[in-house]
Amino acid sequence: MATTEEFEAAAQRAQQLPTKPSNLVLLQLYALYKQATEGDVSGDRPGGFDFKAIAKYDAWAGISGKSQDDARKEYVDLVNFLADA
C-alpha cells in the first residue's frame, strides 16, 4: 500500500518525467489518479465530439471497482517505473 505522502510525491514526479509517456500510458495515469482520489467514476459519459473527454472517462470507468488504496499503489508504481525508464 502506498501512503498519501508517497502518492502526492508520485503526482509531483509525474509532472516532471524525463520523456512524455504515450497517450495510452497518460490515460492509465489519469484513470489511476482519479480512482485513487475520487473512487469510481460518476456522472454521464461525455458525448459528441469531445474525444479526449470520452477517452478519459472510459479509462477511468474501466477500473471501476478498484479500491482507492490499490489505485494509489499502482499509480505510485507506474510513476516510479516511468521515472526510472
Side-chain angles (χ1 to χ4, degrees):
M1 183 169 68
T3 66
T4 302
E5 292 78 22
E6 290 171 324
F7 178 75
E8 290 172 1
Q12 290 296 320
R13 275 196 316 278
Q15 301 299 318
Q16 303 165 350
L17 293 173
T19 58
K20 183 180 179 194
S22 69
N23 287 338
L24 214 56
V25 173
L26 288 172
L27 285 171
Q28 186 177 9
L29 285 168
Y30 173 82
L32 289 169
Y33 182 87
K34 294 295 275 184
Q35 188 72 17
T37 57
E38 298 182 30
D40 288 345
V41 69
S42 61
D44 295 330
R45 183 177 189 255
F49 294 102
D50 192 351
F51 299 116
K52 185 176 180 180
I54 292 169
K56 290 167 93 174
Y57 182 94
D58 288 348
W60 186 8
I63 61 171
S64 287
K66 184 182 294 287
S67 76
Q68 287 181 282
D69 287 337
D70 287 346
R72 228 182 341 264
K73 177 169 181 357
E74 288 182 35
Y75 181 86
V76 169
D77 290 346
L78 180 55
V79 169
N80 288 339
F81 173 78
L82 293 170
D84 292 340

